[in-house]
Amino acid sequence: MAKQKPDVDPYAAAESLRAALTDVGIVFPSLRVEPSSPDLKLVELGRVRADVAARLAEALQRGGASGGK
């Protein structure tokens, strides 16, 4: 039996992600909900500079090492 994915509002998910990134000093300027595919509920992360990607990786690794959520 396939596991059902929870129904998540893409706008809430995007804002939650934006807030979490802001908390660790990271900005994704292009972070938005993809409007052309509303049924898919896609959140577009966009492009970031290499230094931002490296800081994101470091933040994720720190979170993973401390147990995360």
Side-chain angles (χ1 to χ4, degrees):
M1 185 158 97
K3 187 175 181 180
Q4 209 173 19
K5 294 179 184 173
D7 189 24
V8 176
D9 175 50
Y11 293 95
E15 287 310 309
S16 178
L17 179 56
R18 185 183 318 280
L21 289 169
T22 299
D23 284 349
V24 293
I26 298 173
V27 175
F28 276 31
S30 302
L31 177 64
R32 66 184 182 101
V33 172
E34 172 55 53
S36 65
S37 305
D39 292 341
L40 295 177
K41 299 180 180 181
L42 299 176
V43 175
E44 185 173 339
L45 302 179
R47 295 185 282 183
V48 297
R49 295 185 321 258
D51 64 307
V52 175
R55 287 198 337 261
L56 176 60
E58 290 170 11
L60 290 170
Q61 289 167 347
R62 281 193 309 269
S66 67
K69 288 185 181 178

